[in-house]
């Protein structure tokens, strides 16, 4: 049984990675429904929370059906991280997660996210400030290191465990790699096999099929898998992995009706939560994967992306179900 503090996650949990502008409540809702065991909010700026920035505050929205859920924060100042943690406490998540992995330039140049990988002492101090500011379990998501010459994840894991984190998620790339090349899970395995490490270690990077999930579980011995980009527009991946673990058989991919209904549900929540204009706009990134594999689909994708109001997009989704009902769907 994998546990983060007192949170039980089953024998081998599947985690939804926190993704900026993706892991919002509407997206989390469809992932939870399809088997995600632990989810995180989009990362939230500690400075934004303190300034009462509207976008940062909105990211604190969590719902009972999502539990267990963690709120993820980032920043490069100890006092700001402590104050942000105190704000997060009020929303009563199940845990607080710290982002030391985001490679985006606008975050890194502020000395936050993966930028902290250049200064492990600072990383430890920031983590300690969060741990001291909450009674909730604190977890961390990070990368192997800043670049090829500074893959210091083993030292990071030991030192962060020593100051009180309860789990560590590791993306198998350096900041320099961004999302390019193949994730290196060998170092994730070294952390997991380190006799000093007694907290759960979750691996992240390149998990995009049930077969790969099983291979990586068996080869690297991690406590669970964190799935990010492969779930965008394809929330079914969580249950597909679980089914494959249990039976050794691959579930058939969702049929067209499944895809349309899930896209509708996602869109409805997006519009309700963000308002019609923004809700429609932020759904656009998901349609390519929701309907991947349908021949001659491009004109309909264009209509989905260009739909100016909620009803127009719903009408297009209904038409897709009618026009393509007899076509076989391909797995992502």
């Amino acid at each position: 049984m994998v546990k983060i503090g007192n949170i039980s996650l089953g024998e081998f949990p599947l985690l939804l990675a926190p993704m900026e502008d993706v892991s919002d409540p509407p997206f989390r809702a469809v992932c939870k429904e399809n088997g995600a065991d632990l989810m995180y909010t989009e990362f939230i700026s500690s400075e934004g929370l303190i300034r009462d920035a509207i976008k940062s505050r909105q990211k604190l929205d969590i719902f009972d059906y999502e539990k267990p859920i963690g709120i993820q924060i980032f920043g490069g100042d100890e006092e700001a991280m402590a104050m942000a943690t105190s704000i997060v406490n009020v929303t009563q998540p199940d845990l607080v997660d710290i982002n030391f992995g985001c490679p985006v330039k606008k975050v890194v140049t502020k000395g936050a996210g993966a930028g902290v990988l250049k200064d492990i002492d600072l990383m430890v101090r920031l983590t300690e400030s969060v741990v001291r500011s909450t009674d909730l379990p604190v977890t961390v998501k990070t990368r192997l290191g800043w670049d090829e010459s500074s893959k210091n994840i083993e030292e990071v894991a030991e030192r962060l465990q020593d100051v009180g984190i309860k789990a560590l998620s590791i993306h198998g790339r350096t900041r320099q790699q961004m999302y390019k090349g193949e994730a290196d899970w060998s170092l994730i395995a070294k952390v997991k096999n380190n006799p000093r490490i007694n907290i759960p270690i979750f691996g992240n990077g390149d998990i995009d099929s049930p077969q790969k999930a099983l291979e990586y579980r068996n080869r690297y011995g991690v406590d669970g898998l964190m799935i990010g980009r492969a779930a965008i527009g394809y929330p079914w991946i969580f249950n597909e992995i679980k089914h494959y673990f249990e039976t050794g058989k691959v579930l058939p991919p969702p049929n067209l009706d499944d895809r349309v209904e899930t896209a509708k549900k996602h869109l409805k929540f997006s519009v309700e939560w963000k308002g019609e204009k923004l809700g429609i706009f932020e759904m656009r990134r998901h349609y390519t994967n929701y309907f991947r594999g349908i021949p001659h689909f491009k004109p309909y994708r264009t209509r989905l992306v260009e739909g100016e109001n909620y009803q127009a997009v719903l009408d297009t989704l209904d038409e897709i179900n009618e026009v393509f009902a007899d076509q076989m769907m391909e797995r992502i």
Side-chain angles (χ1 to χ4, degrees), residues 260-269 271 276 280 283 287 291 300 303-304 307-322:
V260 169
E261 288 307 308
T262 300
K264 278 184 174 182
K265 187 179 299 184
H266 191 167
L267 173 65
K268 181 175 185 290
F269 195 166
V271 167
E276 185 170 20
I280 289 171
M283 265 299 292
Y287 292 127
F291 300 106
Y300 288 90
R303 284 174 56 184
L304 288 171
E308 294 184 357
N309 60 67
Y310 179 44
Q311 190 58 52
V313 180
L314 284 180
D315 290 344
T316 301
L317 288 168
D318 285 335
E319 187 175 337
I320 287 167
N321 217 2
E322 294 173 9

Side-chain angles (χ1 to χ4, degrees), residues 17-25 28 39-62 66 69-77 80-93 95-102 106-107 110-113 116 126 130 139 141 273:
M19 293 177 281
E20 174 69 353
D21 294 328
V22 175
S23 300
D24 57 16
R28 297 197 306 262
M39 304 187 296
Y40 299 88
T41 62
E42 302 170 75
F43 68 8
I44 304 172
S45 163
S46 56
E47 302 283 353
L49 278 182
I50 294 166
R51 290 196 311 270
D52 203 25
I54 293 173
K55 186 174 182 181
S56 294
R57 288 281 178 163
Q58 188 181 35
K59 290 179 182 179
L60 290 174
D61 286 357
I62 56 175
E66 299 184 282
I69 185 164
I71 290 178
Q72 189 186 71
I73 60 175
F74 74 95
D77 178 80
M81 289 289 276
M83 292 174 66
T85 303
S86 297
I87 296 169
V88 166
N89 287 336
V90 177
T91 65
Q92 298 183 318
L95 58 88
V96 179
D97 189 70
I98 308 171
N99 183 310
F100 290 137
C102 178
K106 68 178 181 179
V107 173
K110 293 179 180 178
V116 185
L126 291 168
V130 172
T139 62
K141 183 173 190 286
W273 188 62

Side-chain angles (χ1 to χ4, degrees), residues 3-6 95-98 100 123-140 155-168 196-200:
K3 298 183 75 173
I4 299 177
N6 292 321
L95 58 88
V96 179
D97 189 70
I98 308 171
F100 290 137
M123 182 186 288
V124 172
R125 293 197 304 272
L126 291 168
T127 303
E128 197 166 16
S129 71
V130 172
V131 171
R132 285 199 308 263
S133 302
T134 185
D135 293 327
L136 297 169
V138 175
T139 62
V140 164
E155 176 192 353
V156 165
E158 290 185 2
R159 294 184 64 182
L160 296 188
Q161 177 181 268
D162 289 346
V163 295
I165 70 166
K166 301 302 182 184
L168 178 65
R196 277 206 59 207
I197 297 296
N198 52 45
I199 58 174

